Every structure is written in structure tokens, then in C-alpha cells.
């Protein structure tokens, strides 16, 4: 019995507490069933209800996904404009848009919406989705077939497109009285969206959208917090996520499995630099400044934060000789940054001076790309590997406003210390603040009360949706 329970325990760990389903080809995507070897067991368990909804979703995806009869007949109706039979499958098509961190947050939000509305998610492959991520659903692909009729219009879809829901509302061409709904609608949820687009977050609009077979979404935001404010989704959300601040943690771990090439980058780096450490710290340095770094006030901020919070040991600048300890504790610091200067300074500091604690500190930075080049393949493979590596550390310091850091903290189940965004080239005081939850921040939420049709502070409506630590107008689930 002991051996049996041991092996079921192992298999439960391997499947991340039931989040993942068994039966995928292991070699085709090694990361899926190996991630548990690199991560600590999450302190947050997926609810049994979430697990059962994911299994139901997988069945739905099998039935409605690409190359099924249901998909073919739904596709035929896209131009004919005929209303679908109620038994047919409905879809959400996610358009690949923006930087990698943004895309992952946008896709996780879109998947949650897909689950809540009993639809099927299809993913536009963009330049590199296929190169970066394994298939998350069994048997049928999540990738939108390349012959999808509207695919050539994805780039040009914007607020003014004739099929844009917001623009249709604005021009009064949505007929809510009849049963004739359009076969597809484009939902513009990009950060520059307007008041009409934002009505997406209202219940009345949701009941209309529910009838539309194809919803095509473009967004660069983590819009989950505002989904929590839609009354008709409230009950389901509290069943799915009894621990509220775990949405991206679970959905991210469910959806995002690095492809074998990226998994190679992650595991080789981990084994070479991180696995032997007694303790590890991730430092994500994202400086939204056009000047080449390193910037002095940012370096000072990094030191002030990590030393004040005792995330890293102080060094003895007196240079007094201390007898080296036989087997000192090894602390590994993983730095990710477009610039190499910050980690070089830190590395030199711990080489030139001894740590007061007697520890030795290794500072490692996988890449320094100098500037953002989201279009190049190898660039995004590295970026994905680095987000993942950050998520494997024991503690995390992130930069304000960066979705790159949000992905790492969410996947890792880590509440980071957030470096306060510097103003006027000065080191902020305090230099960093603790995060309330590991959830990402929604940078462009609506401030509208659907009932009274007036402006409202959406960060003050319920205790579990608040303004973000790093962006005062943003919203996050806590
Ligand atoms: P955000 O701009 O910080 O919110 O993050 P995004 O991931 O959306 O966009 C930034 C892009 O810049 C990433 O996709 C990467 O391509 C690149 N980038 C930013 N910081 C780093 C870094 O520390 N390492 C690497 N390799 N790339 C980075």
C-alpha cells in the first residue's frame, strides 16, 4: 500500500495536482511532465471544480477543434450569416499581438473567458507561438488553421473595423431586438480601446455576445480582474478559484509548456547555475528608459531593496580578512535584463568583498539583448526561457509595469518585491514594496458602472479586486 500511495503521489505531483491530464506523448513536449522536477510543489492547489472544468473543456475541444465536423460547419456559416443551431460549437479566436509577456497574459485571460462562456479557444500562431509553446489540449490542436477565412484581416482589425463590436455600438448598428446576430464579431480590447469597446465588461453586452458563434479578440492586457466584476460570472469564478489570487498561477501552468528547444535552454541553464545553490533569488530588471544602462539610480535602488529586505547579504567593505568558511552557503542570483551592467556590478561586489553572512553569492545573467526585438525567433525563445527560469527561484524581485515579471511570479507562485518605478532619475524611497498577490496587473481597466452608466472606481467595488501596487490605475485580483 505504501508503494502504491507513493507512486500515486508522484503522479499527482507530475500532473500538478490534477491540473494536467495524462496521455500526451512525453517526448513531443518534455517540459509538460518534467516541470515538477524543477519546481517546488505549489502551495496553491487547483480546486477540484477547476480540474473537472478543464477536463470538460478538453472534451469540448476534441469535439469542436480544428479538423472536426463541428468546426467545418461553423466555418461555413461565417460568411453565410445564418444563425447556428444551438447544439453547435462556438469559438473565441485569439489574435497574436504585442510582446511575449503581454501575449501570455492576454492569452490566459482569453482562455478564462472561453471557459466561462463554454466556447472553444483557437490561437492565431503569429510569428512564433508554435515555436514557443506546446499544444495544451489533447488530440486537437489549439492553433487556428491557416486557411481560416478572416486571417488576413487580423493585422488590420482595429477600433474602427466594421465588425468591431465597439464601433458597431457606437454607430448604432447592433440590433438587440431581433434574433439575427452576426456570425462573427471583433472585440477590440487593446490598451487604446474606447468607451464602447469597454462595454464588453457589462452583463447586458455579454448576453448579446453569447449568441455570436465567432468572437475574435485582440488584446495586450490581462483583463481577468474586470471579468471578476461581471455579476453573471461571479458564482462560477468563485467555484473555479476559491483562492482568488491564483488565476494566472493555475491557468498559466495549465496552458504554457515550453517547446523542447526552449526546455533545453531552461534545463541546461538551471542545472549549470541554479540547481546547486542552497537558495536562489530572481532579479528582473526592466528599465523603461531609452538611455543605455546601467543607470546609477537604478543600481542604487536594486541594492537598497535587496539589502534592506535581506534578500541579499551586506558585504564587508572594510576589507578585514575573515577566515573563509569551509562549506559556505551558496546563494544564486538570476538576473534578467536587456542590459548587462546591473549584474556585472553585483557580481563584482560579491567578488571584491566578503558577504557579512559568510555566504558566497553567484550572479548569473543568461542574456543581454540590449534592446527589445520582439520579432526575432531566438530572441523570444530566450525571453520565454528567462521568464521560466525566474519562476523557478525561491524569491523574486520584479520591476514595475513589466508583464515579463508578472509571468514569472504567476508561474512560480511567488509574491515578489516590486521595484517602485523611479521618477526624475532618483532612487525611490522605499525602493521596493511587497506584492499583495502573485496575480498580474490589468493595465487598462474600464472605470464604468454598467448599471448606473456612470464613471466609478472599479478598484473599490469588491475586496478581491484592487488597484495594483505598481500602477495606481491598474486593477489586480488579490
Ligand atoms: P514588458 O514590456 O516588460 O511588459 O514585457 P513583454 O514580454 O511584453 O515585452 C518585452 C519584450 O522585450 C520581451 O518579449 C522580450 O523579447 C524583451 N525583453 C524584455 N526584458 C527582457 C529580459 O530581461 N530578457 C530577455 N531575453 N528579453 C527581454
Amino acid at each position: 500500500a505504501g508503494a502504491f500511495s507513493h507512486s500515486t503521489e508522484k503522479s499527482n505531483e507530475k500532473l500538478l495536482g490534477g491540473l494536467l491530464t495524462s496521455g500526451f506523448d512525453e517526448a513531443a513536449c518534455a517540459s509538460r511532465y518534467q516541470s515538477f522536477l524543477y519546481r517546488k510543489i505549489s502551495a496553491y492547489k487547483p480546486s477540484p471544480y477547476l480540474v473537472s472544468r478543464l477536463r470538460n473543456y478538453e472534451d469540448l475541444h476534441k469535439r469542436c477543434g480544428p479538423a472536426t465536423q463541428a468546426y467545418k460547419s461553423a466555418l461555413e456559416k461565417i460568411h453565410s450569416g445564418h444563425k447556428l443551431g444551438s447544439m453547435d460549437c462556438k469559438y473565441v479566436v485569439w489574435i497574436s499581438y504585442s510582446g511575449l509577456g503581454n501575449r501570455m497574459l492576454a492569452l490566459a485571460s482569453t482562455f478564462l473567458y472561453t471557459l466561462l462562456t463554454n466556447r472553444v479557444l483557437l490561437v492565431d500562431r503569429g510569428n512564433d507561438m508554435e515555436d514557443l509553446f506546446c499544444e495544451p489540449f489533447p488530440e486537437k490542436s489549439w492553433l487556428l488553421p491557416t486557411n481560416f477565412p478572416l486571417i488576413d484581416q487580423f493585422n488590420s482589425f482595429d477600433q474602427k473595423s466594421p465588425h468591431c463590436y465597439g464601433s458597431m455600438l457606437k454607430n448604432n448598428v447592433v440590433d438587440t431586438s431581433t434574433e439575427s446576430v452576426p456570425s462573427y464579431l471583433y472585440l477590440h480590447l487593446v490598451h487604446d480601446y474606447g468607451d464602447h469597446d469597454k462595454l464588453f465588461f457589462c452583463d447586458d453586452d455579454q448576453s448579446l455576445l453569447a449568441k455570436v458563434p465567432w468572437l475574435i479578440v485582440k488584446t495586450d492586457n490581462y483583463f481577468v480582474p474586470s471579468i471578476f466584476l461581471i455579476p453573471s460570472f461571479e458564482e462560477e469564478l468563485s467555484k473555479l478559484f476559491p483562492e482568488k489570487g491564483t488565476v494566472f498561477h493555475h491557468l498559466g501552468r495549465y496552458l504554457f509548456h515550453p517547446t523542447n528547444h526552449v526546455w533545453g535552454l531552461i534545463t541546461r541553464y538551471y542545472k549549470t547555475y541554479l540547481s546547486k545553490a542552497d537558495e536562489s533569488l530572481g532579479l528582473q530588471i526592466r528599465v523603461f528608459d531609452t538611455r543605455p544602462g546601467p543607470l546609477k539610480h537604478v543600481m542604487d535602488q536594486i541594492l537598497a531593496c535587496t539589502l534592506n529586505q535581506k534578500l541579499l547579504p551586506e558585504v564587508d567593505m572594510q576589507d578585514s580578512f575573515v577566515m573563509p568558511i569551509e562549506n559556505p552557503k551558496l546563494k544564486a542570483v538570476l538576473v534578467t535584463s536587456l542590459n548587462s551592467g546591473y549584474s556585472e556590478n553585483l557580481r563584482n561586489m560579491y567578488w571584491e568583498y566578503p558577504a557579512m553572512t559568510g555566504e558566497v553569492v553567484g550572479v548569473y545573467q543568461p542574456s543581454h539583448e540590449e534592446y527589445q526585438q520582439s520579432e526575432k525567433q531566438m530572441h523570444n525563445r530566450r525571453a520565454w526561457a528567462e521568464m521560466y527560469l525566474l519562476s523557478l527561484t525561491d524569491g523574486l524581485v520584479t520591476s514595475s509595469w513589466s508583464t515579463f515579471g508578472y509571468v514569472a511570479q504567476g508561474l512560480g507562485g511567488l509574491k515578489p518585491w516590486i521595484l517602485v518605478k523611479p521618477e526624475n532619475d532618483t532612487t525611490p524611497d522605499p525602493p521596493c514594496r511587497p506584492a499583495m498577490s502573485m496575480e498580474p496587473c490589468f493595465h487598462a481597466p474600464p472605470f464604468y458602472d454598467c448599471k448606473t452608466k456612470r464613471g466609478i472606481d472599479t478598484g473599490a467595488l469588491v475586496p478581491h479586486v484592487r488597484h495594483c501596487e505598481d500602477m495606481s490605475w491598474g486593477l489586480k485580483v488579490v
Side-chain angles (χ1 to χ4, degrees):
F4 175 74
S5 70
H6 180 74
S7 80
T8 47
E9 218 171 88
K10 261 271 149 314
S11 117
N12 188 45
E13 248 181 78
K14 181 170 167 179
L15 300 177
L16 311 181
L19 203 55
L20 307 184
T21 185
S22 56
F24 279 96
D25 175 8
E26 303 216 14
C29 177
S31 67
R32 186 188 328 264
Y33 296 136
Q34 281 188 1
S35 70
F36 81 106
L37 299 171
Y38 296 83
R39 295 190 183 287
K40 288 179 297 298
I41 299 179
S42 174
Y44 311 93
K45 298 266 157 295
S47 69
Y49 187 67
L50 172 61
V51 170
S52 80
R53 287 286 277 121
L54 291 173
R55 295 300 89 81
N56 290 344
Y57 176 80
E58 287 159 3
D59 291 340
L60 183 70
H61 197 95
K62 263 179 227 170
R63 192 162 63 73
C64 304
T68 58
Q69 193 48 50
Y71 175 80
K72 271 178 228 150
S73 48
L75 207 56
E76 278 162 19
K77 284 161 191 156
I78 211 165
H79 282 310
S80 70
H82 291 307
K83 197 172 159 333
L84 294 165
S86 57
M87 284 307 287
D88 290 319
C89 307
K90 295 197 175 80
Y91 299 84
V92 175
V93 175
W94 174 84
I95 300 181
S96 186
Y97 176 74
S98 185
L100 184 56
N102 289 83
R103 266 192 272 163
M104 294 173 74
L105 302 183
L107 185 47
S109 311
T110 305
F111 179 58
L112 178 64
Y113 179 69
T114 306
L115 269 186
L116 290 170
T117 54
N118 297 308
R119 288 171 179 269
V120 172
L121 175 69
L122 296 176
V123 167
D124 162 33
R125 50 197 90 201
N127 284 331
D128 55 8
M129 291 303 289
E130 232 179 325
D131 184 61
L132 299 172
F133 302 104
C134 301
E135 294 280 352
F137 312 131
E139 291 180 44
K140 292 282 181 285
S141 179
W142 74 337
L143 297 169
L144 182 72
T146 46
N147 63 357
F148 184 72
L150 305 168
I151 213 162
D152 297 331
Q153 297 174 48
F154 286 179
N155 280 334
S156 61
F157 274 151
D158 66 13
Q159 260 179 300
K160 298 194 183 68
S161 304
H163 276 88
C164 174
Y165 180 58
S167 98
M168 290 172 76
L169 288 175
K170 201 171 176 176
N171 301 319
N172 272 316
V173 292
V174 184
D175 187 358
T176 49
S177 59
T178 71
E179 281 298 287
S180 78
V181 292
S183 54
Y184 76 93
L185 280 176
Y186 164 64
L187 299 170
H188 187 77
L189 302 177
V190 177
H191 63 272
D192 68 355
Y193 63 159
D195 290 345
H196 288 94
D197 301 309
K198 291 176 185 171
L199 295 174
F200 170 78
F201 296 104
C202 292
D203 254 335
D204 289 349
D205 300 80
Q206 281 303 326
S207 47
L208 187 131
L209 293 174
K211 299 178 201 149
V212 179
W214 291 89
L215 294 177
I216 301 170
V217 182
K218 190 188 280 185
T219 176
D220 51 359
N221 260 279
Y222 186 70
F223 60 79
V224 168
S226 292
I227 295 279
F228 269 79
L229 297 177
I230 302 177
S232 60
F233 294 142
E234 222 172 79
E235 193 190 332
E236 184 72 3
L237 278 171
S238 68
K239 280 161 66 186
L240 287 169
F241 301 100
E243 279 181 289
K244 296 203 160 48
T246 60
V247 179
F248 187 79
H249 179 63
H250 292 314
L251 296 186
R253 284 180 174 210
Y254 175 71
L255 288 176
F256 302 124
H257 306 285
T259 46
N260 285 344
H261 182 94
V262 180
W263 191 235
L265 297 178
I266 293 164
T267 53
R268 284 190 296 278
Y269 202 91
Y270 184 85
K271 286 173 186 155
T272 312
Y273 302 107
L274 300 176
S275 66
K276 291 170 202 87
D278 297 294
E279 216 185 317
S280 60
L281 178 72
L283 259 182
Q284 187 249 342
I285 313 299
R286 179 95 162 103
V287 183
F288 293 97
D289 192 305
T290 48
R291 289 169 293 178
L295 304 173
K296 180 161 188 308
H297 67 279
V298 176
M299 190 66 223
D300 291 344
Q301 179 181 14
I302 294 165
L303 289 174
C305 174
T306 52
L307 300 180
N308 292 355
Q309 301 306 334
K310 308 215 175 319
L311 302 170
L312 290 176
E314 301 267 2
V315 291
D316 180 5
M317 298 263 191
Q318 303 309 315
D319 225 7
S320 42
F321 181 75
V322 186
M323 193 59 88
I325 305 174
E326 184 75 21
N327 277 311
K329 241 179 93 184
L330 170 60
K331 182 135 196 176
V333 185
L334 176 77
V335 179
T336 71
S337 171
L338 292 173
N339 182 280
S340 59
Y342 305 102
S343 66
E344 277 165 19
N345 287 339
L346 208 57
R347 186 181 307 116
N348 283 336
M349 185 175 95
Y350 287 109
W351 184 36
E352 287 171 13
Y353 305 103
M356 295 285 215
T357 53
E359 291 165 282
V360 287
V361 180
V363 180
Y364 313 103
Q365 178 170 348
S367 79
H368 46 94
E369 306 272 294
E370 310 308 335
Y371 58 95
Q372 186 176 332
Q373 1 174 14
S374 309
E375 264 59 64
K376 289 215 194 111
Q377 185 171 69
M378 197 51 208
H379 182 78
N380 275 334
R381 284 180 177 179
R382 284 197 199 108
W384 178 204
E386 286 177 29
M387 285 189 258
Y388 201 103
L389 283 164
L390 282 172
S391 80
L392 299 178
T393 55
D394 301 321
L396 196 56
V397 177
T398 57
S399 296
S400 288
W401 291 25
S402 175
T403 61
F404 198 93
Y406 297 160
V407 170
Q409 76 197 35
L411 291 179
L414 301 162
K415 285 185 195 147
W417 286 88
I418 307 173
L419 295 165
V420 175
K421 198 158 187 301
E423 308 273 354
N424 309 322
D425 287 357
T426 43
T427 301
D429 182 24
C432 57
R433 290 205 194 99
M436 297 179 285
S437 76
M438 60 187 170
E439 277 285 290
C441 174
F442 181 10
H443 288 174
F447 298 104
Y448 182 74
D449 182 3
C450 302
K451 279 217 191 79
T452 63
K453 303 195 192 314
R454 268 193 238 131
I456 197 173
D457 180 1
T458 42
L461 296 176
V462 294
H464 55 274
V465 179
R466 299 220 205 123
H467 287 296
C468 309
E469 308 85 349
D470 59 333
M471 189 178 270
S472 57
W473 62 89
L475 291 184
K476 76 183 278 183
V477 180
V478 297

